[in-house]
Amino acid sequence: MPGFDTDDDTTAAPEASPVKILVAGGFGVGKTTLVEAISEIDPLRTEERLTSAGVGVDDLDGIENKTATTVAMDFGRITLTDAGVALYLFGTPGQERFWFMWDDLLRGALGAIVLVDTRRLDRGFPAIDFFENRGLPFVVGANCFDGEQPYTAEEIKAALHLTDPDTPVLLLDARSREDVRGCLLSLLERLITQARVPAPV
């Protein structure tokens, strides 16, 4: 019967196709939180405590209470059975001194979520430029800190000056599994739509 395991191999669900997705954005926008919220496995984290060595290097304006930072990547996995895919999520480091790793993490990725914080919107431009310049499809997630967002998705899109006006801008709480799942599904829809568009002759 559907939904029950049996010994009959002919009824086994097909194996989910692996899809690599990057989660990028500026320092302190919620990338680690997003990966932790959605991952079905214990996420791999490479966080280190902020120390005095980062004074004058790491910009903590607006995030003065932040005590740790990702120095390599975050990694998590979520299987979307209804879509037939297993998403492998790679969170990029947000600090400028670690951006050299982004090109390595880009290899094999099919799409990305760019998280932005509207309190510090300028921190999102480098990530947007990175993916636009490399032609990787992405969606923008405006993280609603403290569950609040004073701007609409349309206002945020206008402020970001996205090259592709069809790039989705979504409001989400990075702590909410449902919000993150919806953002990932929006990205998958974008990937499928772009895959159906014939290449220019």
Side-chain angles (χ1 to χ4, degrees):
M1 294 179 62
F4 292 86
D5 293 330
T6 71
D7 293 329
D8 185 353
D9 290 338
T10 62
T11 62
E15 186 174 348
S17 300
V19 176
K20 180 179 179 180
I21 299 295
L22 298 187
V23 180
F27 183 37
V29 295
K31 300 179 296 294
T32 298
T33 300
L34 183 149
V35 173
E36 289 180 338
I38 196 67
S39 181
E40 65 194 13
I41 62 173
D42 288 336
L44 168 68
R45 299 172 55 174
T46 59
E47 285 203 322
E48 295 292 341
R49 290 190 60 80
L50 293 170
T51 66
S52 58
V55 175
V57 178
D58 301 327
D59 185 0
L60 295 177
D61 185 31
I63 49 172
E64 291 82 3
N65 293 329
K66 188 170 177 60
T67 59
T69 184
T70 298
V71 296
M73 67 174 185
D74 298 310
F75 174 76
R77 185 191 72 209
I78 177 66
T79 302
L80 300 178
T81 306
D82 48 350
V85 297
L87 302 181
Y88 293 84
L89 307 176
F90 291 78
T92 66
Q95 294 161 284
E96 187 172 351
R97 56 192 165 121
F98 297 125
W99 286 356
F100 68 91
M101 300 181 62
W102 285 29
D103 276 312
D104 288 335
L105 291 172
L106 181 69
R107 292 176 186 150
L110 295 187
I113 293 175
V114 175
L115 273 185
V116 298
D117 177 355
T118 56
R119 303 169 302 178
R120 302 173 297 127
L121 197 60
D122 59 307
R123 315 290 176 84
F125 287 114
I128 289 171
D129 290 343
F130 178 85
F131 294 119
E132 286 185 339
N133 291 337
R134 288 158 180 79
L136 190 77
F138 65 93
V139 299
V140 175
N143 197 359
C144 302
F145 286 86
D146 300 319
E148 299 179 356
Q149 180 55 258
Y151 304 102
T152 66
E154 291 74 20
E155 289 172 330
I156 296 168
K157 176 178 280 193
L160 290 174
H161 303 290
L162 299 167
T163 300
D164 183 353
D166 292 329
T167 300
V169 175
L170 309 166
L171 305 183
L172 62 85
D173 185 331
R175 301 167 298 180
S176 166
R177 183 178 178 86
E178 285 305 308
D179 282 7
V180 175
R181 188 176 188 276
C183 192
L184 288 168
L185 288 173
S186 178
L187 176 58
L188 286 177
E189 289 174 7
R190 182 164 173 76
L191 296 178
I192 292 169
T193 299
Q194 292 196 355
R196 289 173 177 165
V197 175
V201 178

